[in-house]
Amino acid sequence: MKKFSCGFEVTKEVIGGKWKGLVLYFLMNGPKRTSELKRIVPNITQKMLIQTLRELEDSGLVSRKMYNQVPPKVEYSSTELGESLKPILQELCQWGSHYAEQVYAEGEFEIAQPEEAS
Amino acid sequence: MKKFSCGFEVTKEVIGGKWKGLVLYFLMNGPKRTSELKRIVPNITQKMLIQTLRELEDSGLVSRKMYNQVPPKVEYSSTELGESLKPILQELCQWGSHYAEQVYAEGEFEIAQPEEAS
DNA sequence: CCGTATCCCATTAGATACTG
DNA sequence: CAGTATCTAATGGGATACGG
């Protein structure tokens, strides 16, 4: 039986780790192909991308659609449950940006602008 | 220079890890002594508690007040910056509780009720 | 009571090579 | 293009003992 101290722990299990929150965040702007994600998520490796997507899928936040064609095409999108995290993810993002501006000195940090999906 | 993909990464740096968010969450209900935190934060060790508090302090979310007396007394409280995370922390907590109820089967999980501070 | 210092283990993630 | 398999490196966190 899983034990948590509060709901916060649960959420952390779902979007914690190095990549899950970020990948989900990118999927909020619409479905993306694997290669596309690989391209727009900064520095993620193939292995971590797939692993991350599997975990998000298992948690029910992301769904995977496979097209049987050559070359292969797979598309990931956020589910309704995933979308329900959107406002929170946005707040976390805003808070962080605001925090960075207040706390870090100029030139001490940089927040990459998300590349637009094609 | 620190590089982030988006503000979300920044926030994760600040309240990520195993304990930071949780400890901050407990401090939102008012200042606490070290021993008190040690008692109410489930399963945290002395080492991790202190380490976590230092990190929160360095991030400016928590302040530390020391009373010069015997026996020693130290009190931690959340700063204004820390308080600004309160609504988000609460949403994360609510989302997680709601998620757990939807996703886990009964008896498969448990969310501990936070013990009241003395 | 509050905090520090080691030591050690488990988990997580990166690199690389390979398959359908 | 999408995904798997292995191996290795790095980090984070737990146990424990000690000091002011």
Side-chain angles (χ1 to χ4, degrees):
Chain A
M1 167 154 118
K2 300 233 179 202
K3 296 224 177 190
F4 302 99
S5 300
C6 80
F8 176 71
E9 303 272 271
V10 179
T11 309
K12 194 146 56 67
E13 180 143 311
V14 170
I15 56 166
K18 187 160 182 182
W19 299 108
K20 287 199 280 191
L22 197 58
V23 167
L24 183 59
Y25 190 73
F26 277 104
L27 281 177
M28 297 266 168
N29 304 319
K32 303 265 182 301
R33 299 186 53 169
T34 314
S35 53
E36 206 172 345
L37 282 170
K38 173 90 188 58
R39 193 169 50 74
I40 64 179
V41 178
N43 299 318
I44 197 168
T45 62
Q46 174 89 357
K47 177 195 166 186
M48 289 315 294
L49 177 58
I50 301 298
Q51 183 175 314
T52 299
L53 287 165
R54 291 291 169 277
E55 289 171 12
L56 289 170
E57 222 188 322
D58 292 345
S59 302
L61 304 189
V62 159
S63 72
R64 176 178 184 273
K65 184 168 183 185
M66 199 179 142
Y67 298 82
N68 264 337
Q69 60 179 54
V70 181
K73 173 177 174 180
V74 176
E75 210 172 56
Y76 294 93
S77 51
S78 64
T79 63
E80 199 173 328
L81 190 57
E83 289 293 317
S84 72
L85 265 174
K86 191 169 187 174
I88 300 186
L89 243 33
Q90 285 172 335
E91 286 174 81
L92 286 168
C93 189
Q94 281 167 24
W95 191 94
S97 304
H98 181 247
Y99 174 87
E101 281 169 20
Q102 281 202 328
V103 168
Y104 293 118
E106 192 166 350
E108 245 184 34
F109 77 103
E110 180 188 321
I111 299 182
Q113 287 314 306
E115 187 178 336
E116 270 312 309
S118 62
Chain B
M1 169 153 117
K2 301 234 177 200
K3 297 223 178 191
F4 303 100
S5 299
C6 79
F8 176 71
E9 303 272 272
V10 179
T11 309
K12 194 147 54 68
E13 180 143 309
V14 170
I15 57 165
K18 186 160 183 183
W19 299 108
K20 286 199 281 190
L22 196 59
V23 168
L24 183 59
Y25 190 73
F26 276 104
L27 281 178
M28 297 266 170
N29 304 318
K32 304 267 182 298
R33 298 187 55 170
T34 314
S35 54
E36 207 174 344
L37 282 170
K38 173 88 188 61
R39 191 169 51 74
I40 63 180
V41 179
N43 299 318
I44 197 167
T45 61
Q46 175 87 359
K47 176 194 165 185
M48 290 315 293
L49 176 57
I50 302 298
Q51 182 176 316
T52 299
L53 288 165
R54 291 290 169 276
E55 289 171 11
L56 289 171
E57 223 189 319
D58 292 345
S59 302
L61 304 188
V62 159
S63 71
R64 177 176 184 272
K65 183 168 183 184
M66 198 178 143
Y67 298 81
N68 263 338
Q69 59 180 54
V70 180
K73 173 179 173 180
V74 176
E75 210 172 56
Y76 294 93
S77 51
S78 65
T79 63
E80 200 173 327
L81 190 57
E83 288 294 315
S84 72
L85 265 173
K86 191 169 185 172
I88 300 185
L89 243 33
Q90 285 172 336
E91 285 174 82
L92 286 168
C93 189
Q94 280 168 24
W95 191 94
S97 303
H98 181 247
Y99 174 88
E101 281 169 21
Q102 282 202 327
V103 168
Y104 294 118
E106 191 164 351
E108 246 184 32
F109 78 104
E110 179 188 321
I111 299 183
Q113 288 314 307
E115 186 179 335
E116 270 312 309
S118 61

